[in-house]
Amino acid sequence: MTSYIIRRLLVAIPTLILLVVICYLLMFSAPGGPFTSERPLPPQVMANIEAQYGLDQPMWKQIWDYLVGIVTRFDFGPSFAYRDRDVNDIIQQGFPVTLTYGSIAFVLATVVGVALGVMAAIRHNTVLDYIAVGATFSAQALPNFVMAPILVIVFTWQLGWLPGGGWAGGQWQYVILPVVALATSYMASIARIARSSMLETLNANFIRTARAKGLPERTVIWRHAMKPAMMPVVSYLGPTFVAMITGSVVIDLYFSTGGIGQLYVLSALNRDYSVMLGITILYGALTILFNLVADVLYAWLDPKIRY
Amino acid sequence: MQHGRTLIAALLAGTVAAGPLWAQATHPETGETLAEDQTFVYRALDESPSIDPQKVEDVDGSKIVRNLFEGLLNTDAEGEVVPGVATEWEASDDRKTWTFTLREDAAWSNGEPVTAEDFVYAWQRAADPATASEYAWYIQLMKIVNAAEIIAGEMEPTELGVRAVDDRTLEVSLTEGVPYFDQMVTHATTFPAPRAVIEEHGDEWTRPGNMVSNGAYVLTEYVPGERLEMEKNPEYWDAENVIIERVVRLVINDENQALTRWMADEVDWTLIPAGQFPRLKEEHPDAATSVPELCSYYYWINLSESGPEALKDARVRKALSLALDRNVIVENIMAGGQPPAYTFTPEATAGYSPPEVEAETMTQAERDEMAKQLMQEAGYGPDNPPPPFELIYNTSEAHQKIAIAASQMWKQKLGVETTLANQEWTTYLTARGNQEFDLARAAWCGDYNEASTFVELLTTPSEYNDGKYSNPEIDALFEEAATSDDPEQQYQEMERLAAEDTALIPIYWYTNAFMLDPAIKGWPYENVSQDWYAKDLYRVAQ
């Protein structure tokens, strides 16, 4: 197992380098650059700025310098769009924000989603099941860009209970709405996966055997059904966790959290190459890491799996 | 719940009135009762690229810089220049040398005096290639001696044509006479910079705690993408007359979200999304306002080699312009009180009134009739239309609606087909700048309040002339205007010629439609640049 983990982590290095190269190529193939503006800059001013950011170098040199900066100094370069800041700075400020509301939303979505799904499956075709299925369907029909404005209209404008945006260093009042808006649709997906997977497991032969042995239902579900039923949920949770902690564009934009999610889109639109790359690398590294975590969890959930 | 806000305000007013009277301050001039909490909160669309005076490049960033720093001159509620750090200023007869006398009590927030040397340093810094400021072009635009050479790296920044005669006297030398130079020094790029602080902290000098500024406010909190807070600067020379204690800028990207938060009283000022002004004006007559803005909305016509043959015929261009029913666009799509435009330069521009052109005096039916006739003369008709034109615009609901309306009008009235191409901002700018379009949505906002900033776009050498329109008569008039005592005449003639020839298709002049909490007073409604200074505002008790 340990050697498997080490092997996977080593493979991650060329994967990330490849990611940087592809990203660079894609970015440079997009029209315009970070300093394209409605008011075209005089050529001399443009040349001065490009020289400052090394954009006058050939592309291989740019990629090389960029990689060297990361490896030797852990320096992801200056931001092109935010002239007074560098990428490390931007990620240091934005990532803790999304990590906070993303993790809370993840825990909320997972706990409530799994509980709802499992409950619905156990009480299959009862009122409880219908309510749970109905609730998850409506939650899924309320993606975060619909949830966010609704929450603000109700809880900020009408009731005046919670602030309609901002982060204020992560005070609880500011965290609630982003968490709820982000968690809702994920929760619904998790509940639906958990329900169908649990239903399938409950119909499996080994469960029939367990019941035939006369085991109490509680033991059947907790000891025998739960682990295998959670396999599809876990494989969904790996990438979902990464998606949630790296933030959501919608949540960041609607709630002005200052998080990193909005930067992912903004940096692409602004052609802010270095921020775009920095976030891509972060996103890529986290995806690789949590896919590995999910794989290790598999092995724990399913004794048949050996690495 | 439309009146929820008024209700809350009424309740608050009740509590205040019932409270002890000694707490109530009054405005020194108007005698109005001031609110206890003098905080002003406004909304910005995006985080600004920089809040460094020499690097700031967007409108929202300029608002921050204008409150943190003070330049030689400010603008008042009507947009007229008034003393800032400079108390007196004069130009030589040829307007090539400008001398500013600085006030003695101007100070940085660390207590150091603001001297002429701080301005010299700032202006050299803006032009210096090492600063790599996008606004280096502004120093060049000001026509300061040697600016172009310094930007090109051919001369040292210290050779810029600006010098400190003594601590209180700043002298600027220009390559040619600029009559509106006093207007130009109200711009953020020209604000002073604290050399010692910048040299100590480098790029991080703009962080709270590091930043030293000379304006009415100092930076106290800055979380990019979320909020920025400024507090009253006790070292400011006029601090005793500054009433607003705290200014907060919130970034709220979504316009409707910003409006909801305005309703919830979390924000005092926000822009009104397109189309919603009439409704809001009815619901909040004392808060919804629309004022003219120095910007023009228009369509470029590609007249370069890559442009379509049909559009090189002035009759076809004119037909397209005439068939475009501007009233439908301003009344039904924008609905923010925008005036329909038949010429380019906005009517709100100082010292300028648009010439009367034929199209403006006609009814839409007459325009349509004339458009059809012109198309026929050009050899096109409903059965024989020109090849479809491609109209590009950047992603935005309002641009899309206008483009759809325009293509419908052209199709129905003239049988002209238009393909609409929605492009992401940078892609669109690149396509427009490289003449990869037939028709392109565009907007231009004045750099300063004078018509030359607009009409220059109609001239052949202008870098911003994306349609590549060229008319020697217009070029000659522009040159003539530069040395004229009353250039309005030339500007009007340029506009008249451009309209006659349909150099571009003007559509409307912008307005700035915004919601402002009625408790905030002192707003410069008459200032077309909408450059507000928090030091001039105050909040009354309600």
Side-chain angles (χ1 to χ4, degrees), chain B residues 182-447:
Chain B
D182 50 352
Q183 274 278 349
M184 298 195 83
V185 298
T186 62
H187 192 281
T189 314
T190 68
F191 290 1
R195 178 178 215 145
V197 179
I198 296 173
E199 282 171 352
E200 186 187 342
H201 297 286
D203 279 347
E204 295 190 6
W205 82 277
T206 53
R207 309 286 161 93
N210 293 352
M211 187 187 255
V212 167
S213 61
N214 75 323
Y217 297 88
V218 287
L219 183 66
T220 49
E221 196 190 338
Y222 186 21
V223 187
E226 189 205 340
R227 69 195 280 121
L228 179 143
E229 277 194 38
M230 307 178 233
E231 265 168 42
K232 189 170 157 177
N233 175 7
E235 297 289 336
Y236 180 60
W237 62 270
D238 199 21
E240 60 181 67
N241 291 317
V242 175
I243 300 172
I244 294 283
E245 297 278 341
R246 206 167 132 251
V247 183
V248 182
R249 184 239 30 194
L250 298 180
V251 172
I252 308 172
N253 195 270
D254 186 85
E255 284 183 318
N256 289 301
Q257 184 81 342
L259 194 61
T260 313
R261 291 181 68 183
W262 184 89
M263 304 273 194
D265 246 343
E266 291 193 338
V267 185
D268 295 315
W269 179 96
T270 185
L271 285 176
I272 295 175
Q276 298 200 35
F277 178 70
R279 173 179 72 84
L280 290 164
K281 184 76 196 166
E282 207 173 297
E283 289 168 15
H284 308 275
D286 51 351
T289 312
S290 167
V291 294
E293 199 181 357
L294 281 188
C295 299
S296 197
Y297 191 107
Y298 61 102
Y299 283 161
W300 274 124
I301 301 169
N302 184 359
L303 296 169
S304 76
E305 276 176 23
S306 61
E309 265 322 297
L311 289 177
K312 300 211 164 84
D313 187 330
R315 290 170 295 193
V316 177
R317 300 201 294 268
K318 189 158 197 179
L320 291 182
S321 180
L322 286 168
L324 195 68
D325 190 342
R326 291 157 177 82
N327 289 322
V328 168
I329 291 170
V330 296
E331 279 160 28
N332 302 344
I333 299 177
M334 300 311 294
Q338 290 86 353
Y342 298 90
T343 51
F344 182 51
T345 307
E347 59 186 357
T349 312
Y352 170 83
S353 51
E356 192 164 278
V357 293
E358 197 187 5
E360 196 179 351
T361 55
M362 296 196 268
T363 65
Q364 189 56 44
E366 287 167 349
R367 287 183 205 124
D368 294 345
E369 200 43 53
M370 189 172 176
K372 281 176 200 157
Q373 214 176 330
L374 284 166
M375 283 303 271
Q376 234 161 26
E377 283 171 27
Y380 299 108
D383 310 319
N384 174 29
F389 299 127
E390 189 189 40
L391 168 59
I392 65 166
Y393 57 93
N394 56 299
T395 313
S396 140
E397 215 182 304
H399 301 333
Q400 183 170 35
K401 284 184 184 164
I402 292 175
I404 292 173
S407 69
Q408 285 298 317
M409 291 170 190
W410 291 332
K411 169 99 178 99
Q412 282 169 9
K413 296 173 186 173
L414 310 173
V416 170
E417 295 279 353
T418 324
T419 40
L420 303 184
N422 171 7
Q423 298 179 340
E424 166 269 335
W425 177 246
T426 313
T427 310
Y428 147 85
L429 286 181
T430 312
R432 214 181 77 186
N434 293 330
Q435 286 73 46
E436 291 156 10
F437 64 93
D438 299 338
L439 296 161
R441 175 260 151 190
W444 187 256
C445 293
D447 289 322

Side-chain angles (χ1 to χ4, degrees), chain A residues 35 49 52-53 79-85, chain B residues 48-58 61-62 65 122 125-137 187-191 193 198 202-206:
Chain A
F35 307 108
I49 295 174
Q52 188 87 354
Y53 286 95
S79 162
F80 294 86
Y82 302 104
R83 306 291 305 278
D84 315 334
R85 308 170 70 210
Chain B
S48 293
S50 178
I51 56 166
D52 178 323
Q54 275 74 51
K55 291 185 191 171
V56 67
E57 51 193 72
D58 63 328
S62 302
V65 173
R125 181 170 177 261
D128 189 347
T131 311
S133 168
E134 288 198 20
Y135 262 65
W137 66 264
H187 192 281
T189 314
T190 68
F191 290 1
I198 296 173
D203 279 347
E204 295 190 6
W205 82 277
T206 53

Side-chain angles (χ1 to χ4, degrees), chain B residues 89-204:
Chain B
W89 59 100
E90 58 177 357
S92 61
D93 289 339
D94 60 2
R95 298 191 182 111
K96 277 186 173 178
T97 309
W98 288 72
T99 312
F100 297 85
T101 309
L102 276 51
R103 65 175 73 248
E104 270 177 31
D105 49 355
W108 292 98
S109 53
N110 61 5
E112 299 279 326
V114 177
T115 64
E117 197 52 56
D118 294 325
F119 285 91
V120 173
Y121 168 69
W123 295 15
Q124 289 175 352
R125 181 170 177 261
D128 189 347
T131 311
S133 168
E134 288 198 20
Y135 262 65
W137 66 264
Y138 192 81
I139 299 291
Q140 203 172 338
L141 188 74
M142 289 163 82
K143 312 255 164 59
I144 302 178
V145 167
N146 294 341
E149 290 79 3
I150 293 165
I151 292 167
E154 292 158 10
M155 278 189 181
E156 288 301 309
T158 48
E159 292 175 80
L160 190 68
V162 53
R163 69 188 188 102
V165 177
D166 56 50
D167 276 359
R168 304 269 149 255
T169 316
L170 185 75
E171 191 186 272
V172 192
S173 317
L174 310 181
T175 52
E176 53 190 278
V178 180
Y180 44 85
F181 190 78
D182 50 352
Q183 274 278 349
M184 298 195 83
V185 298
T186 62
H187 192 281
T189 314
T190 68
F191 290 1
R195 178 178 215 145
V197 179
I198 296 173
E199 282 171 352
E200 186 187 342
H201 297 286
D203 279 347
E204 295 190 6

